[in-house]
Amino acid sequence: MPSNNSTGDDKPAASPAARSGLMSHWLVRLALWSGGLAVAGAISLLVIIAVALSVAYPNLPDISDLQDYRPKLPLRVYSSEGTLIGEFGEERRNLMPIGDIPKVMKDAVLAAEDARFFEHGGVDYVGVVRAGLANVGRAKSQGASTITMQVARNVYLSAEKTYTRKIYEILLTFKLEHLLSKDQILEIYMNQIFLGNRSYGFAAASEAYYGKPIRDISIAEAAMLAGLPKAPSAYNPIVNPKRARARQMYIIDRMQENGFITAAQAEAARNENLKVRAGPDASRLHAEYVAETVRQLMYAQYGESTYTRGLNVFTTLNATEQAAAYKALRRGIMDYERRQFYRGPEKFIDLPTDPKEADDAIDEVLVEHPDNGDVMSAVVLQASPKGISAVRQNGEAVEITGEGLKPAQSGLSEKAAPNIKIRRGAVIRVAKTPKNTWEITQLPEVEGAFVALDPRTGAVRAMVGGFDWDKNKFNHVTQAWRQPGSSFKPFIYSAALEKGFTPATVINDAPLFFDAGVTGGQPWEPKNYDGTFDGPMSIRRGLAKSKNMISIRILQAVGPQNAQEWVSRFGFDTEKHPAYLTMALGAGSVTPMQMATAYSVFANGGYRVSPYLITKVTDQKGKVLVETQPGQLDDSVRAIDARNAFVMNSLLQEVTRSGTAARASGALKRSDIYGKTGTTNDSMDAWFAGYQQSVAAVVWIGYDTPRKLGDRETGGGLSLPVWINFMETALKGVPVSEPSAPEGVMNVGGEWYYNEFGPGAGIASLGLEDPAAAAAANGMSPAAQTMIGAPPHTPPTATPGVAPQPAAPPADEKKRILDLFRN
């Protein structure tokens, strides 16, 4: 019987077991649905990735060129012996095949960047997991970016950090691993990676940081270089030695952990004291003007690819002679500078009393005033007439006393003007003396040039275009058009030999005067340098003593137009040597290179040589692209007769024996040297041009904006010492060799004559009783005869007594300089 509390719709209550089964059912269904959705999502993701890959993969860059890897390689310029003298390009890089890279360097890189490189397929999944765990645990890790991924990123992709770029990086990684071998990928990486200090690749970095080839690298050095790819600036051993050292220790540990080195090797590497370059290499060869000339020549030939295709240019330069030329010219200019009035400190700063702040101020100002070779900058800490205390940028203390104060005595006087007074905070220049003490000095305002040629071939053996490349990039050897002064006289004398003059011809060193009616301008009364006149003397003595009156009388007899044509045989531009009597005093315009070429004609027996600088150009693999062979001395390049050159040798030898350059033979202690001093009007240019049969060299010193060098400054006092210092190196071990007499000359009484102009047949006197009659008797032309008794009636273009200014350089001056060295 139903209960009174029941209804007809009542159902029995579910048991706990039933409720549990129902819940399990729904959980199963939820799991199935979730699994289905996950599978569907994964399939959808794979489809999306597949579609993305199908779209992205064809757009990946073509990497087939990496099979023949050719990175941007700079232009390198070498001396004849293979000494690097210049490098041009955005990247300093040495391409080195993987087989030539030492194992220790490869091991250090693998330990630092990708120890499982030879095991994974481009993406190191083990490394990814390890990196993730390390990041969670905040432990050190080598990272998850493999070497292959870095190659893909560095060669083809930008530095932006986006998911798209990361996808392309992974795709490129797989493509690289498929196309290239592991060794090829590692070779690209080790040549391509940027390592700071403008260095790309480990071979270049070894040279940049250690100054040594990578084949000589130690474990400790390799470990420090291997730390650079992670952050080249942060781990730069020059800028941040402490951080670089910490990174190096970590990599040494990694090398040991991976079995690349033993525990003993690791310990030795940790204790090795590395010698890292602290700045520019003091022993480097200074040939910046040569390197720049080569750069211009190469750019004219190859355009922009000059800086990327890895050209190697070998020059005619002799490294030993180039170093000697550089030192000799700088020494000569600094010796002159010591005789000049002190111009004062380069700058003044207020030095704080706090030592740390003072150090910062000193560092800051000396960055603006860097050392110039052996002419170094310093900041004065204390100064008095008895001594100067200063400090250099590297913290070195400088104490100057006694003789070292003399060049700047005026700046230490109590009455010195504020702009020249040496006081605390003054930026000054200092230099070491031969006694290893300090002296105060100053950067010179005067400039100079030096060039040496092989007169037999025209090969440039040394060229210094100025005191310092960083100070003045104008190449005075090839670009400076200056008046040669008395150093031009030998070419007038050479012309005279062809007109019947002999070394024994007597000419009167007596005053000359040309009035306005003759000159068409102001009266001209030329003088000898010393203001005296010595009367009658032979041509030999006249050239040795550089007598101006004798040179003018010779030019009168030869004829200015005849002389103008004659000097063109030596390579001079006739338009720069107007046919006026001032040509006898060197009033035209020449470059030091022209002078060296011209004197080479005397040195080699009468042949005109073309100066050349490049012997060979090769590509990065050593394939010869261009090779220059020196020209032959034959009749096709004969400029003057052999006997003319021989007699001129005799005259120029007298200059170095008893004339204005007599100190040359005494200093060098040899007889086979020849040359001529030159000092222009008002001592604005000082020259010496001279030679031995194996080398012709020219020195010029003067101001860029012409001004007086000083009343007592001459070519013999300024430029000749530079020439002698160079020749001491250039002629070391060279046997004494004097030219033999050619056909057509004879020696009578110790003097040389042309056969047809022997004693009694030549001009006996000029400028004496009746020189015109003497000229006529010796077969001189009527035009030349008129030049003996009176000056030419064609007015000069410049004020008499003042040498004409050099003609403006032609519009194609740059092309002229480039053509100068093309053979």
Side-chain angles (χ1 to χ4, degrees), residues 686-702:
W687 294 82
F688 186 77
Y691 57 90
Q692 192 263 356
Q693 284 186 308
S694 64
V695 57
V698 171
V699 184
W700 166 84
I701 293 176

Side-chain angles (χ1 to χ4, degrees), residues 89-111:
E90 295 180 1
E91 305 173 356
R92 183 187 288 120
R93 188 196 305 275
N94 293 331
L95 180 58
M96 180 162 285
I98 191 67
D100 294 340
I101 299 174
K103 184 176 183 297
V104 65
M105 190 70 250
K106 289 184 282 190
D107 288 345
V109 168
L110 293 175

Side-chain angles (χ1 to χ4, degrees), residues 42-250:
I43 293 172
S44 299
L45 182 61
L46 290 174
V47 170
I48 292 172
I49 292 174
V51 172
L53 290 177
S54 65
V55 173
Y57 200 83
N59 293 325
L60 292 176
D62 180 14
I63 63 174
S64 59
D65 56 340
L66 285 184
Q67 291 178 305
D68 184 20
Y69 174 61
R70 293 182 181 179
K72 291 181 180 179
L73 297 175
L75 166 70
R76 290 190 174 91
V77 185
Y78 298 91
S79 71
S80 60
E81 305 91 344
T83 302
L84 181 67
I85 62 176
E87 194 172 33
F88 299 92
E90 295 180 1
E91 305 173 356
R92 183 187 288 120
R93 188 196 305 275
N94 293 331
L95 180 58
M96 180 162 285
I98 191 67
D100 294 340
I101 299 174
K103 184 176 183 297
V104 65
M105 190 70 250
K106 289 184 282 190
D107 288 345
V109 168
L110 293 175
E113 298 294 323
D114 191 356
R116 299 184 66 253
F117 172 72
F118 285 99
E119 300 170 22
H120 61 66
V123 177
D124 186 5
Y125 302 105
V126 174
V128 171
V129 173
R130 185 173 59 247
L133 294 175
N135 289 334
V136 172
R138 299 181 182 275
K140 281 188 176 182
S141 170
Q142 68 183 59
S145 185
T146 67
I147 284 177
T148 311
M149 293 170 73
Q150 291 184 56
V151 169
R153 181 167 63 245
N154 293 330
V155 177
Y156 290 106
L157 301 177
S158 66
E160 63 175 345
K161 296 182 178 180
T162 64
Y163 290 112
T164 302
R165 191 200 63 81
K166 194 64 178 178
I167 290 172
Y168 272 94
E169 180 182 311
I170 293 173
L171 293 177
L172 271 174
T173 297
F174 290 139
K175 193 170 185 178
L176 285 169
E177 289 277 349
H178 175 72
L179 181 68
L180 304 176
S181 69
K182 286 288 188 179
D183 277 345
Q184 285 177 307
I185 294 171
L186 188 58
E187 178 182 290
I188 294 168
Y189 177 82
M190 298 194 74
N191 282 283
Q192 181 74 23
I193 194 73
F194 176 63
L195 299 171
N197 208 22
R198 282 186 55 233
S199 299
Y200 288 78
F202 289 93
S206 180
E207 295 283 357
Y209 291 107
Y210 303 128
K212 63 194 297 186
I214 196 171
R215 65 175 178 271
D216 298 331
I217 207 165
S218 69
I219 294 174
E221 290 168 333
M224 184 159 288
L225 292 185
L228 290 168
K230 184 176 182 180
S233 59
Y235 298 113
N236 185 317
I238 297 174
V239 180
N240 294 305
K242 290 183 179 179
R243 296 185 68 178
R245 169 82 173 159
R247 177 72 174 161
Q248 177 202 33
M249 293 298 103
Y250 165 70

Side-chain angles (χ1 to χ4, degrees), residues 298-313:
M298 292 297 98
Y299 187 83
Q301 181 68 32
Y302 298 105
E304 289 296 332
S305 66
T306 298
Y307 312 120
T308 59
R309 62 184 294 176
L311 295 175
N312 297 302
V313 182

